[in-house]
Amino acid sequence: MEDKKKILYSGMQATGNLTLGNYLGALRNWKTLNEEYECFFGVMDFHSLTVRQNPAEFRQRARNLFALYVAAGLDPEKNCIYFQSHVSTHAELSWILNCYTYMGELNRMTQFKDKASKHSDNINAGLYTYPVLMAADILLYQADVVPVGKDQLQHLEITRDIAQRFNGLYGDVFTVPKPYTGKIGAGVKSLQNPEKKMSKSDENPNASIYLMDDADTIRRKFKRAVTDSDTQVRYDVKEKPGISNLMDIYGAVTGKDMKDIESEFAGVGYGDFKAAVGEAVAGLLAPMQERFEEIKNDKEYLDRVIGANDEKAFYVSNKTLRKVKKKVGLTDRIK
Ligand code: TRP
């Protein structure tokens, strides 16, 4: 009998424009994971509602994020890629888990504090219970591992706490997930402030390379990237954070290590180095951008894969939800 693969769960919010940071840090690596894991990747559109969205734009963006998953090489036959909002189990389990999560725990979430201060005119309850919905996402699929960035580790920690609490009360219902510790991509920093991470919510468009930026824009942004007043291409995160970030990016794209990059650009100014990074990144993104253009308007194809994967996600997650409902004592629906 074939060994059962472990389960991996992740997803991105359909908010903002994805950046090179999202690509090198997550998306690019996701397509290699299905060899080892059974993979589920959600378009986390419910989470995006915690911040006001323009409905027409939001609809398009969510759909584009799905197309981008495919364009980035996630095979929708081998990975379950689907919309969170199309699968009703997420909202249901999220409600139930709300009743097994303490306000004291949620009060500690640093992302909530952060977002509440940024959106002080709209501190809604969804923003507060956001981590519970995320716990539901993960636990519904009995995920063993979850690849997330540093900023989401606290949410994964609370997911584990909720799962353990629930299991303690009702027996082993949920797999307690672990952070994915395999090779994850480079931590890409802002091009304008290399102390900060490259973020899709950065107000300065020159700080980020967006996945849909054309080659000229990419070259220009790298040319303008903030560096130090030295001239040596040398890896030193403390003293030369800007250049080191560009080296990290160049290394992530070309596979070269920092020593190789230092010797490749020894005695050449920053200008030539930045041009090389721009070229490399433009070349990396071009095939994905072409594929995205091909499929984004192929309604028939997208509808077909979305429909099939939504259904699979429902089937898998509903098994967990049914178990949970039974355990807590909810009555069955009459058929
Ligand atoms: N909160 C995550 C983010 O903003 C997105 C997300 C929602 C997620 N549910 C998840 C990630 C479940 C991993 C697993 O990045």
Side-chain angles (χ1 to χ4, degrees):
M1 210 176 77
E2 195 188 325
D3 274 345
K4 246 184 126 220
K5 283 184 182 172
K6 290 201 162 188
I7 297 170
L8 181 143
Y9 191 94
S10 200
M12 287 184 190
Q13 278 200 61
T15 324
N17 277 326
L18 291 195
T19 70
L20 183 64
N22 300 115
Y23 186 69
L24 293 178
L27 205 46
R28 180 174 74 157
N29 312 297
W30 285 0
K31 68 168 182 273
T32 61
L33 298 171
N34 69 37
E35 303 268 317
E36 197 179 339
Y37 298 97
E38 183 176 351
C39 294
F40 294 85
F41 297 107
V43 170
M44 301 310 188
D45 47 359
F46 269 159
H47 277 106
S48 303
L49 289 179
T50 55
V51 175
R52 283 296 167 262
Q53 306 289 338
N54 169 310
E57 261 173 35
F58 178 39
R59 194 172 289 126
Q60 193 56 53
R61 201 166 258 162
R63 187 96 179 169
N64 284 351
L65 179 58
F66 185 93
L68 202 62
Y69 281 1
V70 179
L74 285 180
D75 180 344
E77 309 278 332
K78 295 194 178 134
N79 301 276
C80 183
I81 46 183
Y82 71 98
F83 286 82
Q84 181 189 37
S85 69
H86 295 185
V87 182
S88 55
T89 51
H90 290 251
E92 288 185 66
L93 183 63
S94 180
W95 171 256
I96 296 174
L97 295 183
N98 267 319
C99 305
Y100 293 84
T101 307
Y102 297 111
M103 291 183 63
E105 292 178 296
L106 292 174
N107 287 338
R108 285 199 294 273
M109 297 292 117
T110 56
Q111 191 170 68
F112 170 71
K113 292 182 212 173
D114 234 44
K115 288 194 179 169
S117 70
K118 269 196 207 138
H119 304 277
S120 55
D121 55 336
N122 181 20
I123 306 178
N124 60 69
L127 204 55
Y128 188 63
T129 59
Y130 177 116
V132 184
L133 176 58
M134 183 160 159
D137 299 336
I138 296 167
L139 299 178
L140 276 170
Y141 298 86
Q142 304 289 352
D144 297 286
V145 290
V146 183
V148 282
K150 274 202 208 94
D151 61 327
Q152 297 297 316
L153 277 176
Q154 200 184 23
H155 293 162
L156 192 56
E157 210 39 60
I158 197 176
T159 301
R160 291 168 53 84
D161 291 342
I162 296 169
Q164 275 159 347
R165 177 171 312 134
F166 199 92
N167 286 350
L169 289 165
Y170 302 107
D172 282 340
V173 178
F174 296 127
T175 302
V176 180
K178 292 195 174 66
Y180 175 74
T181 49
K183 189 181 163 298
I184 334 191
V188 178
K189 303 283 194 287
S190 153
L191 300 185
Q192 292 299 314
N193 176 2
E195 312 283 331
K196 283 194 332 194
K197 89 168 197 185
M198 183 180 285
S199 160
K200 52 188 175 177
S201 51
D202 202 309
E203 274 137 44
N204 181 352
N206 288 322
S208 307
I209 301 293
Y210 299 115
L211 294 189
M212 291 302 141
D213 280 348
D214 60 30
D216 280 345
T217 308
I218 294 173
R219 288 188 198 105
R220 180 172 47 76
K221 286 182 178 178
F222 277 111
K223 209 157 126 193
R224 291 195 189 158
V226 168
T227 49
D228 51 71
S229 54
D230 185 31
T231 55
Q232 238 186 30
V233 177
R234 184 165 53 79
Y235 196 73
D236 182 340
V237 177
K238 270 221 168 67
E239 299 298 323
K240 299 163 74 69
I243 281 295
S244 301
N245 182 38
L246 298 185
M247 290 176 74
D248 275 331
I249 294 172
Y250 191 68
V253 176
T254 61
K256 293 174 184 165
D257 66 27
M258 296 305 122
K259 281 275 159 275
D260 290 344
I261 300 173
E262 284 174 0
S263 45
E264 184 178 349
F265 295 96
V268 211
Y270 284 176
D272 286 359
F273 173 56
K274 287 174 162 180
V277 183
E279 241 20 85
V281 170
L284 173 78
L285 297 183
M288 178 179 66
Q289 293 175 341
E290 277 165 34
R291 179 97 180 95
F292 176 76
E293 290 304 324
E294 273 168 33
I295 56 176
K296 79 165 189 217
N297 295 320
D298 190 343
K299 184 167 178 325
E300 209 181 290
Y301 170 73
L302 287 178
D303 284 353
R304 182 157 47 78
V305 294
I306 291 169
N309 279 307
D310 285 350
E311 204 164 314
K312 177 171 179 204
F314 179 79
Y315 177 80
V316 174
S317 60
N318 196 38
K319 282 197 209 167
T320 302
L321 181 66
R322 277 181 16 221
K323 213 191 255 178
V324 168
K325 284 180 164 174
K326 196 170 187 160
K327 290 284 186 186
V328 301
L330 291 164
T331 56
D332 280 336
R333 185 174 153 186
I334 314 293
K335 289 204 194 82

